[in-house]
């Protein structure tokens, strides 16, 4: 994975340098190099750190936490909940767009590429950054969670005023990593079809996020894509 790290945004390299040198990450590196050689792994190698490159450390204003990448062909491109243009939005993302429409009146997008959010400071972080094709959570507990937990802790420690959007139980378990005296946490059910009606629809997290940013004299997110 050394080539991944070399292509990583400089601001993230500076704050994560020592983490890449730890034994668990060295082992993760070896496992991934083998898996990428012998299996179909998503996202492509060059997009594993896409969320970091689209949203440099010094630009993070909002953090949206996902679980692991989509495991279907062509879906994952390193941004949680997002799919590349031309790929049909998965059900959870469709529900995100429904809430966006209900909250802010924004028309439901014709595609599912959330890069415009990332480019404005919305850090679209999955807890696990890789997955085997057609095998959800197949890279769970392989070391990625240790790494992304550290990422959350670094953001919490080094920055102030971030809005953390925690959708679903797995994301909400990360609240313990966040200093809530200096950051803002918005929680809701996961937008999955199985749970969206139990607390995601009506959460109004998009308008609430912009109100929090405005209070801090920060630029609002234009949620249109």
């Amino acid at each position: 994975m050394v080539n991944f790290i070399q292509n990583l945004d400089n601001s993230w390299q500076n704050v994560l340098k020592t983490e890449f040198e730890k034994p668990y990450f060295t082992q993760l590196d070896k496992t991934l190099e083998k898996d990428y050689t012998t299996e179909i792994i998503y996202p492509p190698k060059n997009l594993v750190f896409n969320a970091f490159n689209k949203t440099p450390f010094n630009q993070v204003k909002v953090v949206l936490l996902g679980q692991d990448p989509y495991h279907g062909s062509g879906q994952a491109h390193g941004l949680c909940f997002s799919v590349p243009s031309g790929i049909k939005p998965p059900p959870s993302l469709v529900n995100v767009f429904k809430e966006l429409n209900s909250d802010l009146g924004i028309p439901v997008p014709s595609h599912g590429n959330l890069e415009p959010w990332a480019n404005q400071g919305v850090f679209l972080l999955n807890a696990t950054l890789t997955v085997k094709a057609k095998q959800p959570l197949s890279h769970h507990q392989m070391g990625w969670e240790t790494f992304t937990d550290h990422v959350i802790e670094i953001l919490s420690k080094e920055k102030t005023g971030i809005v953390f959007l925690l959708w679903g139980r797995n994301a909400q378990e990360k609240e313990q990593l966040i200093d809530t005296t200096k950051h803002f946490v918005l929680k809701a059910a996961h937008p999955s079809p199985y749970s969206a009606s139990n607390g995601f629809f009506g959460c109004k997290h998009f308008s609430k996020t912009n109100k929090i940013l405005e209070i801090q004299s920060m630029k609002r997110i234009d949620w249109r894509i």
Side-chain angles (χ1 to χ4, degrees):
M1 194 190 299
V2 172
N3 58 328
F4 297 174
I5 299 170
Q6 288 176 342
N7 294 327
L8 181 62
D9 170 81
N10 286 336
S11 66
W12 282 109
Q13 285 206 42
N14 290 338
V15 297
L16 295 173
K17 181 180 179 180
T18 57
E19 201 69 12
F20 293 134
E21 299 169 352
K22 292 182 178 179
Y24 87 87
F25 201 92
T26 301
Q27 183 58 49
L28 173 62
D29 183 359
K30 292 178 181 177
T31 302
L32 285 172
E33 288 295 342
K34 177 182 177 182
D35 280 2
Y36 268 100
T37 302
T38 60
E39 312 252 8
I40 298 175
I41 306 296
Y42 300 129
K45 276 187 177 184
N46 65 312
L47 295 178
V48 170
F49 285 104
N50 197 24
F52 298 79
N53 290 330
K54 294 294 183 185
T55 313
F57 181 80
N58 55 7
Q59 294 179 20
V60 176
K61 298 192 291 187
V62 180
V63 177
L64 175 55
L65 295 179
Q67 191 167 6
D68 73 332
Y70 295 123
H71 56 273
S73 177
Q75 291 181 311
H77 66 143
L79 307 176
C80 75
F81 290 102
S82 180
V83 291
S85 300
I87 299 295
K88 181 181 178 181
S92 291
L93 183 55
V94 170
N95 285 339
V96 169
F97 291 155
K98 288 179 180 178
E99 175 59 23
L100 183 61
N101 174 257
S102 173
D103 185 9
L104 294 174
I106 293 174
V108 173
S110 60
H111 64 90
N113 191 333
L114 303 181
E115 288 183 9
W117 295 3
N119 292 335
Q120 296 177 76
V122 182
F123 185 41
L124 300 169
L125 178 67
N126 275 316
T128 303
L129 299 188
T130 55
V131 68
K132 293 182 181 180
K134 301 180 181 179
Q135 297 183 49
L137 296 176
S138 48
H139 281 176
H140 179 54
Q141 294 184 339
M142 200 169 75
W144 276 130
E145 290 89 349
T146 301
F147 174 73
T148 54
D149 280 359
H150 178 72
V151 169
I152 295 168
E153 290 175 330
I154 286 288
L155 285 166
S156 177
K157 178 182 178 182
E158 300 294 334
K159 298 177 73 70
T160 58
I162 293 176
V163 183
F164 288 86
L165 303 179
L166 308 183
W167 297 345
R169 178 178 55 84
N170 289 320
Q172 289 166 18
E173 289 175 351
K174 306 297 184 181
E175 185 176 8
Q176 62 182 330
L177 305 172
I178 303 164
D179 183 347
T180 56
T181 68
K182 55 188 284 200
H183 298 285
F184 302 86
V185 174
L186 299 179
K187 294 184 284 188
H190 194 278
S192 161
Y194 300 105
S195 56
S197 296
N198 295 322
F200 178 74
F201 290 138
C203 70
K204 299 187 180 299
H205 279 186
F206 303 102
S207 60
K208 289 178 179 178
T209 294
N210 278 344
K211 287 178 182 177
I212 291 169
L213 294 176
E214 281 188 331
I215 289 171
Q216 301 180 90
S217 299
M218 299 171 71
K219 188 175 181 180
R220 296 162 59 98
I221 305 298
D222 182 351
W223 296 106
R224 295 172 297 178
I225 63 170

